[in-house]
């Protein structure tokens, strides 16, 4: 029998140790709130601190006049899929929030002059964040100053507990794989995206969509889940290293294994190779919205057809290393430290899963519609829509980290604390296992780890940049077979496989949701290309909302 080993009482549980979680935790601790932060790995982790990334940027509103211009930039790129309220909150708040990076131990260095961020139509101030190891030390030091702040590392949240439609607690698996019940009045989810559900990704392994399932099962909705950002990454000489797209300004060609130009058979007559590469140098992720789309479609289509995942070779002009602009130098110098030189070595790239543009549906204070439950950072469907404007994701962690903490403090002043007994925790755990255990005998002989690897493979080949109805249907069928054969309770009984049980279940559920969302949107828009529906279709000018009622998921296109 599964048992709760201990009970912890706090006011707020923050789930996730990246930028948004750190910001919200620091704000609440400063307001004298009791805060418990739990993170799957260590403090200052997740995509915010991905090691094979040179730096992150934050784009900042210039002045009063720039408010509307910046908002319009976000609106243009979103292809109608953004939240107006969230975008307005970001544009208004970010000039102040960027000053607060130092309060959480982040040194944000302003680049010289103004610069256009990825996808941006107008130049602005860009602040660069780097040196993850130093930031991590700084955060530890700052957190240690608060007696009312505790951190549990290597801890997974299994489920959230609700009473009378409000959050009252959670069940955790701690670093010893023991079940722990947390009694709290509010939960702020900041657990990041789901990039690691793909075979090739630029995310740490813990970015697996677990927060999406916690929110969905607690009664929150998901939105824009089909818009996943794919971005070129280096495969050779150093696998999983973020590629600096701005260097494509100096690129002559991209070739396949046979030495043939990859672009020749994909480019329409009115677009030259040079034009395509120059446009592609202005943005990191793939977008269907620009003529550079053929660059990524050519790569992914080739991979799907040949099953060759080695990547494609870039040919650069030597002048690349003559560029003294800081944005180039920071990246190229960082690559040298990693023993990567773009003109002296054979450098191959391929598309990698990078960031989710959708997530938990929230308002401008991170509220999910469930009393006491907030979602922030990449976990939330934030200010981006079908495309993600560069330099906004880090800033959004600061803006909505602060806003959620402020609102949470207000909420705590009005809500009555609910007392949970050990019996409550035990009952919740038993109900959870009962509701999600396999109902059919397993014919699936795969171990949990092999099944997770298979899901990554399926998502890579069927749910990437280039999609089709046939491949999506095939993928959904395979995921459904995994679900019917996954012996959740058996894995949970064994103390050492409990976290694997939770991860396996999350992979099945999140993969199914993503593939279904991709199938529902029968058009090409923003971050993806449907080869069977190659144009953007105005009849899909609505956002796809996913909700769970009882055990049934609903997918609805809504104007909201």
């Amino acid at each position: 029998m599964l048992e709760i080993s201990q009970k912890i009482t706090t006011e707020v549980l923050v789930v996730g140790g990246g930028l948004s979680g750190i910001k919200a935790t620091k704000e609440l601790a400063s307001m004298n709130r009791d805060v418990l932060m739990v993170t799957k790995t260590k403090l200052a982790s997740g995509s915010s601190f991905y090691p094979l990334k040179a730096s992150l940027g934050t784009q900042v509103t210039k002045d009063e006049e720039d408010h509307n211009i910046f908002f319009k930039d976000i609106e243009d790129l979103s292809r109608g899929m953004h939240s107006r309220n969230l975008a307005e909150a970001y544009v208004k708040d970010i000039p102040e929030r960027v000053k607060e990076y130092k309060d959480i131990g982040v040194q944000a260095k302003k680049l010289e002059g103004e610069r256009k961020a990825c996808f941006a139509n107008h130049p602005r101030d860009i602040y660069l964040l780097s040196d993850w190891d130093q930031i991590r030390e700084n955060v530890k030091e700052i957190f240690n100053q608060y007696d009312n702040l505790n951190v549990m590392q290597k801890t997974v949240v299994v489920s959230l507990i609700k009473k009378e439609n409000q959050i009252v607690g959670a069940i955790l698996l701690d670093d010893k794989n023991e079940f722990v019940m947390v009694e709290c009045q509010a939960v702020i989810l900041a657990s990041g995206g789901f990039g690691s559900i793909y075979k090739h990704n630029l995310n740490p392994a813990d970015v697996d969509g677990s927060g999406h399932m916690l929110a969905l099962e607690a009664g929150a909705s998901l939105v824009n889940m089909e818009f996943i950002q794919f971005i070129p990454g280096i495969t050779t000489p150093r696998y999983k290293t973020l590629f600096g797209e701005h260097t494509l300004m100096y690129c002559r060609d991209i070739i396949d294994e046979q030495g043939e130009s990859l672009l020749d058979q994909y480019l329409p007559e009115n677009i030259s190779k040079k034009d395509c590469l120059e446009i592609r140098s202005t943005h990191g992720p793939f977008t269907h919205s620009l003529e550079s789309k053929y660059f990524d479609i050519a790569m992914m289509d080739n991979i799907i057809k040949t099953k060759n995942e080695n990547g494609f070779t870039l040919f650069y002009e030597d002048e690349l290393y003559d560029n003294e602009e800081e944005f180039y130098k920071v990246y190229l110098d960082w690559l040298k430290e990693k023993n990567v030189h773009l003109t002296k070595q054979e450098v191959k790239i391929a598309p990698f899963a990078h960031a989710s543009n959708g997530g938990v549906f929230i308002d401008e204070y991170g509220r999910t519609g469930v009393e006491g439950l907030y979602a922030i950072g990449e976990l939330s469907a934030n200010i981006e829509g079908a495309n993600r404007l560069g330099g906004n994701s880090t800033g959004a962690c600061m803006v909505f980290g602060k806003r959620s903490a402020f609102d949470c403090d207000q909420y705590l002043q009005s809500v009555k604390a609910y007392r949970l007994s050990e019996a409550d925790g035990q009952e919740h755990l038993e109900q959870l296992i009962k509701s999600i255990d396999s109902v059919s005998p397993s014919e699936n002989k795969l171990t949990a780890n092999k099944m997770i690897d298979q899901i990554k493979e399926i998502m890579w080949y069927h749910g990437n940049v280039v999609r089709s109805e046939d491949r999506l249907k095939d993928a959904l069928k395979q995921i459904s077979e995994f679900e019917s054969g996954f012996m959740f309770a058996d894995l949970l009984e064994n103390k050492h496989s409990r976290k694997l049980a939770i991860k396996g279940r999350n992979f099945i559920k999140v993969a199914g949701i993503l593939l279904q969302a991709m199938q529902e949107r029968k058009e090409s828009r923003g971050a993806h290309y449907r080869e069977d529906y190659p144009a953007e279709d105005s009849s899909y000018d609505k956002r796809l909302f996913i909700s769970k009622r009882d055990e049934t998921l609903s997918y609805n296109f809504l104007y909201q």
Side-chain angles (χ1 to χ4, degrees):
M1 179 173 160
L2 303 177
E3 291 184 351
I4 304 287
S5 65
Q6 65 164 316
K7 174 182 159 184
I8 298 170
T9 300
T10 187
E11 288 182 298
V12 188
L13 173 67
V14 177
V15 184
L19 268 183
S20 55
I22 289 166
K23 178 62 175 166
T25 299
K26 164 74 167 62
E27 291 290 332
L28 284 161
S30 300
M31 291 187 261
N32 294 318
R33 292 295 179 185
D34 284 333
V35 191
L36 171 65
M37 174 193 268
V38 302
T39 175
K40 283 202 210 97
T41 54
K42 57 189 174 185
L43 179 60
S45 58
S47 294
S48 308
F49 297 90
Y50 181 63
L52 291 179
K53 195 184 289 174
S55 60
L56 287 167
T58 301
Q59 188 179 184
V60 177
T61 315
K62 285 199 278 198
D63 49 33
E64 202 65 42
E65 193 184 333
D66 190 41
H67 274 224
N68 287 336
I69 300 168
F70 196 174
F71 179 79
K72 186 78 170 62
D73 277 357
I74 294 169
E75 195 170 49
D76 286 349
L77 256 294
S78 82
R79 310 305 304 156
M81 299 294 112
H82 69 304
S83 160
R84 189 178 182 89
N85 291 351
L86 269 61
E88 285 174 344
Y90 180 87
V91 169
K92 175 173 153 286
D93 288 6
I94 190 56
E96 288 306 308
R97 294 298 81 80
V98 81
K99 296 173 188 171
E100 296 170 2
Y101 271 125
K102 62 180 184 300
D103 299 341
I104 58 167
V106 176
Q107 292 305 314
K109 182 181 184 292
K110 183 182 165 308
L111 281 176
E112 291 172 24
E114 291 177 355
R115 175 178 181 84
K116 283 186 183 178
C118 170
F119 288 136
N121 296 323
H122 301 89
R124 294 186 176 85
D125 285 344
I126 305 283
Y127 287 80
L128 276 193
L129 285 51
S130 56
D131 197 350
W132 313 141
D133 290 338
Q134 185 58 55
I135 293 171
R136 192 171 285 118
E137 290 308 309
N138 296 346
V139 173
K140 282 182 197 163
E141 208 173 292
I142 291 162
F143 274 25
N144 284 337
Q145 294 167 13
Y146 294 94
D147 294 333
N148 54 326
L149 194 173
N150 289 299
V151 178
M152 288 175 70
Q153 301 185 112
K154 297 182 182 172
T155 298
V156 170
V157 182
V158 176
S159 179
L160 302 179
I161 304 172
K162 258 172 53 176
K163 299 281 184 188
E164 294 157 20
N165 204 40
Q166 75 180 53
I167 295 293
V168 295
I171 305 289
L172 318 177
L173 263 174
D174 69 10
D175 58 350
K176 298 181 183 69
N177 292 323
E178 301 275 9
F179 288 106
V180 175
M181 181 173 71
V182 174
E183 178 184 86
C184 60
Q185 288 133 276
V187 171
I188 297 181
L189 295 174
S191 53
F194 45 74
S196 75
I197 203 167
Y198 283 88
K199 183 178 182 181
H200 301 292
N201 65 78
L202 291 171
N203 298 104
D206 59 319
V207 180
D208 60 6
S210 56
H212 297 76
M213 293 315 304
L214 290 172
L216 190 66
E217 284 165 355
S221 294
L222 306 176
V223 66
N224 284 350
M225 291 292 281
E226 66 273 35
F227 298 115
I228 300 155
Q229 183 171 287
F230 288 82
I231 197 164
I234 294 173
T235 57
T236 300
R238 181 151 188 176
Y239 177 66
K240 275 187 82 153
T241 301
L242 189 69
F243 173 68
E245 74 284 346
H246 48 300
T247 63
L248 289 174
M249 273 296 284
Y250 295 88
C251 185
R252 290 199 307 273
D253 207 351
I254 178 169
I255 65 164
D256 63 18
E257 293 258 304
Q258 284 69 47
E260 302 290 327
S261 175
L262 199 63
L263 294 171
D264 284 348
Q265 60 176 306
Y266 288 90
L267 287 179
E269 283 180 15
N270 61 327
I271 299 168
S272 71
K273 209 176 284 184
K274 188 173 188 293
D275 288 343
C276 178
L277 290 165
E278 281 191 9
I279 298 167
R280 193 62 188 80
S281 76
T282 66
H283 60 94
F286 166 80
T287 180
H288 176 263
S289 313
L290 297 171
E291 297 289 18
S292 50
K293 61 188 173 187
Y294 302 105
F295 182 84
D296 303 75
I297 290 170
M299 284 197 288
M300 202 63 235
D301 194 43
N302 189 291
I303 291 168
I304 292 167
K305 285 172 180 166
T306 66
K307 297 290 191 281
N308 186 334
E309 301 166 26
N310 294 335
F312 306 93
T313 304
L314 295 168
F315 280 107
Y316 280 105
E317 305 280 1
D318 289 334
E319 288 78 21
L320 168 62
Y321 281 83
D322 295 336
N323 192 320
E324 292 295 311
E325 192 186 335
E326 187 178 13
F327 200 63
Y328 277 85
K329 278 190 70 57
V330 166
Y331 178 66
L332 295 174
D333 288 348
W334 175 77
L335 279 186
K336 281 180 189 170
E337 288 172 21
K338 307 288 175 195
N339 297 315
V340 179
H341 195 287
L342 298 180
T343 59
K344 290 179 180 173
Q345 289 168 287
E346 182 182 38
V347 175
K348 292 187 177 186
I349 64 167
F352 282 71
H354 185 229
S356 44
N357 290 358
V360 182
F361 178 64
I362 59 168
D363 70 5
E364 62 271 33
Y365 287 96
R367 295 179 289 217
T368 62
V370 177
E371 292 291 306
L373 181 62
Y374 299 80
I376 54 174
E378 194 188 333
L379 166 72
S380 65
N382 215 280
I383 56 179
E384 49 278 321
N387 293 308
R388 175 188 286 263
L389 194 64
N392 286 0
S393 54
T394 51
C397 292
M398 298 297 284
V399 167
F400 298 99
K402 178 109 172 180
R403 282 173 163 260
S404 63
F406 171 80
D407 193 84
C408 185
D409 179 60
Q410 300 287 303
Y411 174 76
L412 292 172
Q413 291 172 38
S414 61
V415 71
K416 193 174 168 218
Y418 191 98
R419 297 290 163 224
L420 288 173
S421 65
E422 282 189 26
D424 288 328
Q426 206 63 45
E427 186 188 348
H428 185 82
L429 192 56
E430 284 162 22
Q431 283 299 115
L432 177 76
I433 294 157
K434 200 171 161 187
S435 70
I436 60 184
D437 191 27
S438 172
V439 289
S440 59
S442 174
E443 292 172 21
N444 175 13
K445 303 297 180 198
L446 290 176
T447 64
N449 277 317
K450 281 196 176 153
M451 184 199 71
I452 286 167
D453 287 343
Q454 287 272 0
I455 291 172
K456 289 180 172 211
E457 183 92 2
I458 290 164
M459 292 304 297
W460 175 246
Y461 277 106
H462 298 68
N464 55 63
V465 167
V466 179
R467 303 171 188 171
S468 73
E469 189 77 12
D470 289 346
R471 286 201 302 276
L472 290 168
K473 271 188 182 169
D474 181 44
L476 278 163
K477 183 170 174 286
Q478 291 182 67
I479 298 298
S480 177
E481 286 167 6
F482 288 147
E483 185 163 24
S484 65
F486 185 56
M487 303 304 280
F488 178 75
D490 290 357
L491 284 167
L492 217 53
E493 284 291 342
N494 183 336
K495 192 172 169 181
H496 299 293
S497 60
R498 283 173 180 170
K499 282 179 182 155
L500 186 60
I502 303 302
K503 183 170 184 169
R505 176 177 174 262
N506 282 337
F507 262 60
I508 291 169
K509 295 289 186 186
V510 174
I513 286 167
L514 292 176
L515 292 163
Q516 187 64 48
M518 291 170 191
Q519 194 179 40
E520 297 285 334
R521 186 169 288 282
K522 300 185 192 303
E523 62 158 359
S524 296
R525 187 184 293 248
H528 72 264
Y529 172 69
R530 283 284 300 252
E531 56 189 9
D532 42 358
Y533 299 97
E536 192 172 301
D537 182 348
S538 59
S539 65
Y540 283 92
D541 283 352
K542 291 179 272 191
R543 300 202 289 165
L544 181 58
F545 283 78
I546 304 163
S547 304
K548 187 177 184 188
R549 295 290 171 267
D550 300 319
E551 289 306 303
T552 309
L553 287 175
S554 64
Y555 295 75
N556 298 297
F557 284 102
L558 302 169
Y559 287 115
Q560 77 177 72

